[in-house]
């Protein structure tokens, strides 16, 4: 449970006295008779406050509403005083001035280093963020550790994190400004080790860079698109996916104004049995909470139309500190008391009943709140008044105790269990993307938000108000207070519609706390490759001239060099000279992944059987293995001394061609478990050439390999014995592409010299030579007919026997550099120098 983790880490309040700012008469820093280093003085970091009213907190260590003490007195306070600003902005300025003066006159105590050999890399001022409190101090990064030394020594003199233990770091926005940084030493825990807020974006970014250099897997690889892919294919549960999205959207358990937000799922709180097979059991996930009740929505829309700019539909947010603590009052009462000026909320407004809360969210004029992760966790303590808090009596005299559960729940644990089952149900899996569009996606802002009835106050959005443009300090403080108390909309993660989850016909519920890996089904409109016949392929090639452009997308910044497609045809991977590997969803027509392994061009790509791994070759001499399921690089094969130009994969063996004049054959053994996916490579053969190798292909039996060089030579090899059968200087320039015929008797090659060459594989004899008007960069063929991509961007259909072009199809605006064809030969994808991929369909 996220909030319980924070409490266990000692971040709960321990104040014995709190003074409302409106009751302050004067504030000053205590007089110092020495160098004024607050880190070496027992009373350091304090401020002297003269007030006419104060609150006593936790008398005899009992959590209860604060007791008021009246009369003019003077108190020495530590610097983590928390409270609402109210109308006493001047008092707050005095406190801020004292803090900044203290910070400016002090520095990090280097005696706190763990080792005298540590090298200081950076030091700056910052604040440690915890719920409702930010604690100022100095942050310091060495070559071994990250330190934070709070000005007042709370919660301890120095917070220290070993850089080698850091697993994740995230840049955060705090108060809608890009000043936060959160550091995790765990893989999946929602609770971070430290959350820092800086006084300048430059300091934040510099510290982020210093820490990131120590991370083995850089955090930028874990994108929203990466998690979306894993969720779509069933590698992440709905719960896990929502946690990842919250994390990427700057939601943090340390920041109550940006606490992780989860959806209401269940709409039935009256039945004795919860039926997850009935759609009416569930809330409509395509609408925000405020639009679920049509009558209330009509009233809100009428007000919206009459409202001057800035217009907004809802006067409160779906996630705010007040709403979070509304749910958590029984486990975090001290936070609620702090937020509520020392009082619990009225008993009738307390979190009393699931049914009442849901009804109020549907009908209430100002209640639009969603849920928090605790509703789908394993710890039910937030539903039980185990602390025996005096939360008051409701109208009718009933004392507020545990939360009243719906009839279908036998107890708190059973309620959470059924809530988790509902979250992972087939109905939610089919519709969760609609809620994501509203909260994290394209319906969050602008005209799409208006159409979806999802418009909140500008103060809740990043970019909704520019605090830096406000010169009046009083106005700036007031706006910042509203931002922190009103609630903030998550950072927008998707700007186009989120794709639906891929579900099998016999979809089973995934476990909430374990990764459940299922096969991605073939959708009804996709071809089945199990019943391929020679007749269907022949029919396709007889009609290849009827190939029509279906769709086209510009997804790269430079020429495309390779295309690979998953077995069910839903995902297309491309490589480019812009050094990126990209994944494009054919179903949702969206770019879902972009990965850069180095700053040099990638030359080709392929997908291993099972659709779990993509392999990319690069001009930096390396071959990269990339996990589709887990969204990260798995392995690097540093197999060549120059650029790797082409790779092939057959029966567990990898064939790599390189400009270092070799083709290498590798036996590849993958790791045996999901947690150990490292591959082991054994070099089986090295085929030596005189010059750089540009392309390779294997025959159907995987016994014969053909290679084409930059100087026009075609070589044919017996890979079983690693011996050369033929070396044929048939081209006068670079061999762009080469491929065996389906029966493996012939080899076709295309070169820079504008020629096609047909070679008899057994004898090495040149059977035919066809000259084109321009170079043909890539091709597919069936032994008689060629579909080629030209330097000008056209697709050409060739009759080999006649030696002529039978059809010209307009395509790219630059050279066609790569081509993929499905096994039925009725679907083609091309990539070009114009940075586009084009999808072609055969129209019979």
């Amino acid at each position: 449970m996220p909030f319980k983790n924070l409490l266990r880490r000692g971040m709960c309040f321990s104040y014995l006295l709190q003074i409302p700012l409106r009751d302050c008469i004067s504030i000053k820093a205590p007089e110092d008779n020495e160098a004024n280093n607050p880190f070496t003085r027992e009373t350091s970091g304090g401020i002297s406050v003269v007030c006419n009213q104060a609150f006593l907190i936790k008398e005899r260590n009992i959590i209860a509403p604060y007791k008021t003490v009246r009369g003019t007195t003077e108190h020495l306070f530590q610097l983590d005083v928390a409270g609402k600003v109210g109308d006493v902005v001047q008092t707050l300025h005095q406190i801020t001035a004292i803090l900044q003066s203290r910070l400016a006159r002090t520095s990090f105590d280097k005696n706190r280093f763990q080792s005298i050999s540590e090298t200081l890399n950076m030091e700056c001022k910052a604040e440690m963020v915890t719920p409702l409190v930010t604690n100022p101090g100095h942050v310091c990064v060495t070559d071994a550790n990250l330190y934070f030394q709070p000005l007042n020594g709370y919660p301890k003199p120095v917070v220290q994190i070993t850089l080698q233990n850091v697993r994740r770091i995230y840049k955060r926005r705090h108060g809608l400004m890009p000043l936060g940084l959160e550091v995790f030493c765990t893989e999946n825990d929602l609770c971070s080790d430290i959350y820092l807020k800086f006084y300048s974006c430059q300091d934040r970014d510099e510290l982020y860079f210093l820490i990131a250099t120590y991370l083995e897997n850089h955090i930028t690889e874990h994108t929203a698109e990466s998690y979306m892919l894993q969720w779509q294919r069933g590698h992440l549960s709905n719960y896990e996916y929502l946690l990842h999205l919250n994390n990427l959207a700057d939601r943090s358990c340390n920041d109550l104004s940006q606490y992780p937000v989860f959806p209401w799922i269940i709409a039935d709180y009256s039945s004795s049995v919860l039926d997850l097979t009935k759609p009416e059991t569930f809330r409509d996930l395509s609408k925000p909470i405020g639009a679920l009740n049509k009558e209330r929505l009509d009233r809100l829309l009428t007000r919206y139309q009459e409202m001057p700019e800035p217009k907004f539909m809802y006067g409160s947010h779906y996630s705010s500190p007040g709403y979070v603590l509304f749910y958590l009052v029984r486990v975090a009462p001290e936070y609620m008391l702090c937020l509520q000026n020392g009082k619990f909320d009225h008993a009738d407004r307390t979190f009393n009943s699931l049914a009442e809360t849901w009804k109020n969210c549907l009908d209430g004029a100002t209640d639009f709140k969603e849920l928090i992760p605790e509703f789908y966790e394993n710890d039910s303590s937030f539903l039980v008044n185990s602390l025996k808090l005096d939360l008051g009596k409701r109208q009718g005299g009933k004392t507020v105790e545990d939360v009243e559960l719906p009839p279908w729940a036998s107890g708190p644990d059973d309620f959470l269990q059924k809530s988790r089952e509902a979250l992972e149900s087939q109905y939610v899996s089919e519709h969760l993307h609609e809620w994501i569009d509203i909260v994290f996606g394209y319906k969050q802002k602008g005209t799409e938000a208006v159409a979806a009835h999802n418009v909140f106050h500008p103060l809740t959005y990043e970019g909704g108000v520019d605090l830096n443009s406000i010169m009046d300090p009083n106005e700036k403080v007031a706006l910042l207070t509203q931002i922190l108390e009103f609630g903030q909309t998550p950072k927008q993660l998707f700007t186009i519609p989120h794709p639906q989850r891929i579900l099998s016909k016999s979809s089973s519920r995934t476990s909430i706390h374990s990764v459940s890996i299922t096969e991605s089904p073939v959708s009804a409109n996709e071809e089945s490759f199990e019943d391929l016949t020679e007749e269907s392929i022949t029919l396709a090639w007889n009609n290849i001239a009827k190939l029509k452009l279906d769709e086209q997308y510009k997804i790269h910044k430079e020429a495309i060099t390779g295309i690979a497609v998953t077995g069910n045809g839903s995902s297309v991977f491309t490589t480019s000279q812009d050094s990126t590997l990209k994944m494009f969803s054919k179903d949702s027509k969206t770019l879902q992944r972009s990965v850069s392994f180095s700053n040099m061009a990638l030359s080709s790509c392929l997908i291993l059987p099972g659709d779990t791994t993509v392999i990319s070759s690069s001009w930096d001499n390396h071959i990269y293995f990339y996990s589709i399921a887990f969204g990260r690089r798995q392995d690097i094969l540093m197999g060549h001394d120059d650029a790797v130009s082409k790779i092939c994969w057959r029966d567990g063996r990898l064939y790599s061609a390189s400009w270092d004049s070799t083709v290498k054959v590798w036996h590849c053994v993958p790791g045996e478990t999901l947690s150990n996916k490292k591959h082991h490579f054994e070099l089986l053969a090295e085929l030596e050439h005189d010059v750089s190798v540009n392309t390779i292909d294997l025959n159907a039996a995987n016994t014969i390999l053909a290679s084409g060089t930059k100087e026009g030579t075609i070589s044919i090899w017996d890979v079983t014995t690693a011996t050369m059968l033929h070396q044929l200087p048939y081209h006068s320039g670079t061999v762009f592409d080469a491929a065996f015929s389906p029966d493996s008797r012939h080899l076709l090659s295309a070169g820079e010299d504008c020629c096609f060459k047909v070679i008899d594989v057994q004898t090495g004899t040149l059977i035919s030579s066809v000259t084109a008007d321009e170079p043909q960069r890539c091709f597919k063929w069936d032994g008689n007919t060629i579909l080629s991509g030209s330097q000008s961007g056209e697709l050409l259909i060739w009759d080999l026997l006649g030696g002529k072009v039978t059809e010209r199809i307009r395509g790219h605006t630059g050279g066609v550099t790569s081509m993929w064809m499905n096994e039925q030969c009725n679907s083609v994808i091309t990539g070009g120098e114009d940075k586009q991929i084009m999808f072609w369909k055969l129209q019979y």
Side-chain angles (χ1 to χ4, degrees):
M1 176 176 174
F3 213 89
K4 291 280 282 189
N5 289 343
L6 282 178
L7 297 177
R8 290 191 190 105
R9 294 189 182 188
M11 294 187 180
C12 57
F13 289 105
S14 59
Y15 311 119
L16 297 178
L17 189 68
Q18 177 172 306
I19 297 176
L21 294 180
R22 61 178 175 271
D23 295 310
C24 296
I25 297 174
S26 66
I27 299 176
K28 64 178 181 178
E31 296 294 332
D32 291 330
N33 297 320
E34 51 180 296
N36 224 346
N37 186 341
F39 299 124
T40 61
R41 290 170 52 88
E42 184 177 353
T43 62
S44 60
I47 55 176
S48 176
V49 179
V50 178
C51 63
N52 56 24
Q53 178 176 278
F55 292 141
L56 290 177
I57 302 172
K58 291 185 70 174
E59 186 177 12
R60 298 190 185 93
N61 208 33
I62 296 174
I63 302 173
Y66 303 166
K67 290 187 177 181
T68 303
V69 177
R70 302 184 185 279
T72 303
T73 57
E74 181 173 353
H75 300 275
L76 180 65
F77 270 78
Q78 296 299 320
L79 289 177
D80 53 350
V81 177
K84 291 189 175 181
V85 174
D87 298 322
V88 287
V89 175
Q90 187 60 39
T91 304
L92 189 60
H93 288 331
Q94 293 178 25
I95 296 175
T96 302
I98 293 170
L99 290 176
Q100 293 302 318
S101 175
R102 291 279 186 179
L103 285 171
R105 289 183 288 125
T106 58
S107 61
F108 185 86
D109 182 7
K110 308 303 187 296
N111 293 322
R112 296 288 185 175
F113 283 177
Q114 291 291 303
S115 170
I116 59 174
S117 62
E118 288 185 60
T119 302
L120 176 66
N121 288 331
M122 176 185 176
E123 179 184 351
C124 65
K125 298 180 292 183
E127 297 176 7
M128 185 171 70
V129 179
T130 57
L132 300 180
V133 176
T134 58
N135 201 3
H138 292 274
V139 65
C140 179
V141 181
T142 69
D143 56 348
N145 294 289
L146 166 68
Y147 299 95
F148 177 76
Q149 190 169 24
L151 197 60
N152 62 351
Y154 178 83
K156 53 186 177 180
V158 171
V159 178
Q160 179 254 327
I161 296 173
T162 303
L163 295 181
Q164 288 185 344
N165 294 336
V166 174
R167 292 293 174 265
R168 299 176 289 146
I169 56 172
Y170 296 96
K171 293 180 180 180
R172 298 292 194 211
R173 59 176 189 178
H174 187 272
L176 299 184
M177 299 182 69
L179 299 173
L181 184 73
E182 200 159 15
V183 180
F184 295 79
C185 292
T186 58
E187 293 293 342
N188 298 309
D189 194 352
L190 258 181
C191 189
S192 64
D193 289 76
I194 193 168
Y195 187 146
L196 296 172
K197 173 200 168 187
F198 294 82
Y199 294 104
S200 76
C201 185
Q202 182 178 353
D203 285 345
R204 191 275 304 269
D205 292 346
E206 183 178 351
L207 190 133
Y208 174 88
F209 173 78
L210 289 172
I211 299 177
T213 58
Y214 289 87
L215 294 183
E216 181 178 351
N217 292 317
H218 197 274
I219 199 65
T220 54
E221 283 197 299
H222 302 284
T223 62
E225 289 77 16
S226 165
Y227 290 125
M228 177 174 66
L229 172 63
Q230 295 180 51
W231 173 75
Q232 269 192 289
R233 298 175 62 83
H235 294 268
L236 289 176
S237 67
N238 294 336
Y239 168 83
E240 291 167 324
Y241 185 43
L242 290 175
L243 282 186
H244 286 305
L245 293 185
N246 272 283
N247 191 45
L248 292 174
D250 290 335
R251 314 301 286 186
S252 169
C253 296
N254 283 303
D255 186 352
L256 295 185
S257 68
Q258 298 188 94
Y259 201 77
V261 56
F262 270 60
W264 283 95
I265 292 296
I266 300 170
D268 179 3
Y269 294 94
S270 59
S271 300
S272 58
V273 177
L274 186 66
D275 188 349
L276 297 181
T277 65
K278 295 166 54 178
E280 53 267 30
T281 298
F282 300 93
R283 164 259 185 103
D284 185 349
L285 290 167
S286 68
K287 299 177 181 178
I289 288 290
L292 293 177
N293 183 324
K294 188 179 184 305
E295 292 182 4
R296 180 179 64 176
L297 178 62
D298 289 342
R299 293 195 298 270
L300 292 170
L301 289 175
T302 300
R303 188 189 68 172
Y304 175 78
Q305 297 298 333
E306 298 172 350
M307 185 180 296
E309 294 293 343
K311 293 176 178 288
F312 54 90
M313 293 181 186
Y314 309 115
S316 62
H317 202 252
Y318 52 75
S319 177
S320 67
Y323 287 163
V324 172
L325 295 178
F326 168 84
Y327 292 126
L328 297 176
V329 63
R330 290 168 176 81
V331 291
E334 294 157 297
Y335 290 89
M336 176 61 85
L337 290 171
C338 182
L339 190 71
Q340 292 273 121
N341 288 325
K343 298 178 182 179
F344 290 123
D345 205 351
H346 191 281
D348 287 300
R349 289 195 298 265
T350 301
F351 183 30
N352 293 302
S353 160
L354 265 302
E356 287 182 9
T357 303
W358 171 245
K359 185 178 186 302
N360 200 53
C361 287
L362 286 181
D363 302 335
T366 60
D367 194 349
F368 314 105
K369 58 180 173 286
E370 293 277 9
L371 298 183
I372 55 177
E374 281 78 357
F375 280 84
Y376 305 102
E377 286 278 350
N378 291 318
D379 189 343
S380 61
S381 59
F382 75 103
L383 300 171
V384 181
N385 188 16
S386 57
L387 297 176
K388 304 302 179 185
L389 300 170
D390 183 5
L391 297 173
K393 291 185 178 182
R394 306 184 64 183
Q395 291 182 11
K398 186 177 180 180
T399 302
V400 176
E401 291 292 345
D402 299 344
V403 176
E404 183 179 330
L405 303 174
W408 46 258
S410 60
D413 292 337
D414 184 57
F415 169 77
L416 293 187
Q417 175 64 30
K418 287 184 169 65
S419 294
R420 291 195 296 272
E421 290 176 3
L423 179 63
E424 303 302 329
S425 66
Q426 180 156 345
Y427 177 89
V428 175
S429 295
E430 291 173 349
H431 295 278
L432 185 59
H433 66 286
E434 297 173 325
W435 185 83
I436 292 171
D437 282 336
I438 292 169
V439 176
F440 300 103
Y442 81 110
K443 292 182 179 179
Q444 186 194 91
K445 299 178 181 178
T447 56
E448 295 289 352
V450 175
H453 305 132
N454 192 41
V455 183
F456 291 88
H457 195 282
L459 285 174
T460 68
Y461 293 102
E462 184 176 22
V465 60
D466 184 6
L467 288 174
N468 292 322
S469 66
I470 300 173
M471 305 308 296
D472 185 347
N474 294 347
E475 183 182 356
K476 181 177 290 190
V477 168
L479 280 175
L480 181 59
T481 302
Q482 289 182 60
I483 289 169
L484 294 177
E485 292 190 358
F486 191 83
Q488 297 173 40
T489 299
K491 183 170 68 177
Q492 190 174 29
L493 300 179
F494 307 102
T495 57
I496 56 178
H498 191 289
Q500 189 176 17
R501 192 169 196 176
I502 301 170
L503 295 172
S504 61
K505 294 180 181 178
S506 57
S507 177
S508 59
R509 297 185 187 115
T510 49
S511 169
I512 192 167
H513 288 302
S514 62
V515 178
S516 175
I517 300 179
T518 58
E519 289 292 328
S520 297
V522 178
S523 58
N525 61 346
E526 291 292 340
E527 300 88 358
S528 171
F529 297 135
E530 296 176 358
D531 300 319
L532 293 178
T533 63
E534 291 185 7
E535 289 79 11
S536 65
I537 294 175
T538 300
L539 178 64
W541 275 103
N542 287 341
N543 290 275
I544 199 71
K546 297 179 181 178
L547 207 61
K548 301 296 181 183
L549 179 62
D550 189 28
E551 297 166 318
Q552 64 188 80
Y553 304 92
K554 185 175 181 180
I555 61 173
H556 282 281
K557 296 180 180 179
E558 297 294 340
I560 292 168
T561 56
I563 301 171
V565 181
T566 53
N568 64 1
S570 63
S571 297
V572 179
F573 286 85
T574 56
T575 51
S576 168
Q577 289 184 2
D578 65 9
S579 80
T580 62
L581 169 71
K582 293 183 183 286
M583 193 201 82
F584 183 87
S585 171
K586 187 179 176 184
D587 296 332
S588 64
K589 300 176 176 53
T590 58
L591 182 63
Q592 294 186 327
R593 194 119 184 69
S594 180
V595 183
S596 181
F597 301 114
S598 72
N599 59 1
M600 298 191 73
L602 299 180
S603 54
S604 66
C605 63
L606 56 85
I607 300 175
L608 295 189
D611 292 350
T612 59
T613 304
V614 180
I615 310 179
S616 300
S617 57
S618 174
W619 285 5
D620 67 1
N621 313 352
H622 298 163
I623 299 168
Y624 295 93
F625 288 68
Y626 189 81
S627 169
I628 300 175
F630 297 100
R632 61 172 178 262
R633 188 188 69 206
Q634 281 180 215
D635 291 305
I636 304 176
L637 175 57
M638 295 175 280
H640 288 275
D641 298 322
D642 204 342
V644 183
S645 53
K646 186 74 177 289
I647 51 176
C648 292
W649 178 277
R650 298 284 179 83
D651 293 340
R653 291 188 177 184
L654 176 67
Y655 302 79
S656 58
S658 172
W659 295 352
D660 66 4
S661 306
T662 67
V663 173
K664 294 185 178 181
V665 184
W666 310 86
H667 178 56
C668 181
V669 181
E672 297 181 355
T673 66
L674 284 175
S675 60
N676 177 25
K677 272 295 186 180
K678 296 294 182 182
H679 294 77
H680 305 285
F681 305 96
E682 178 185 359
L683 182 62
L684 299 181
E686 186 170 344
L687 311 181
E688 294 281 353
H689 296 67
D690 296 328
V691 293
S692 300
V693 183
N694 196 57
T695 188
I696 54 173
D697 190 49
L698 281 160
N699 70 346
N702 305 327
T703 56
I704 306 297
L705 180 143
S707 58
T709 70
K710 283 193 170 184
E711 291 188 1
T713 302
I714 300 290
S715 297
I716 300 177
W717 301 78
D718 181 348
V719 293
T720 61
T721 60
T723 57
M724 182 185 292
L725 301 178
H726 309 288
Q727 188 174 30
L728 312 168
Y730 286 154
H731 289 277
S732 59
T734 298
V735 180
F736 286 134
D737 203 2
F740 288 94
S741 60
D743 61 8
S744 298
R745 293 176 57 187
H746 300 131
L747 178 75
L748 178 67
S749 60
E752 191 178 16
D753 56 3
C754 304
C755 291
F756 280 116
K757 306 286 183 177
V758 182
I759 302 165
D760 181 86
V761 173
Q762 185 175 3
T763 64
T765 304
L766 181 63
I767 296 175
S768 174
S769 179
V770 178
T771 303
D773 296 329
E774 58 183 342
Q776 303 301 299
R777 298 287 297 273
C778 53
F779 64 85
K780 299 292 177 182
W781 75 312
D782 70 339
N784 298 302
T785 304
I786 305 172
L787 171 67
S788 68
S790 67
Q791 182 65 46
S792 65
E794 289 183 313
L795 297 188
L796 305 182
I797 312 296
W798 295 80
D799 175 13
L800 261 183
L801 294 178
K804 62 181 181 181
V805 175
T806 60
E807 189 72 27
R808 291 179 179 270
I809 305 172
R810 290 188 60 183
H812 295 264
T813 55
V816 183
T817 52
S818 54
M819 182 181 294
W820 172 90
M821 176 182 280
N822 68 347
E823 291 186 50
Q824 286 185 319
C825 306
N826 58 12
S827 179
V828 174
I829 304 175
T830 57
E833 290 179 336
D834 59 0
K835 311 158 193 175
Q836 294 194 91
I837 55 172
M838 292 186 173
F839 293 81
W840 305 82
K841 283 289 186 182
L842 202 57
Q843 307 292 331
Y844 290 105

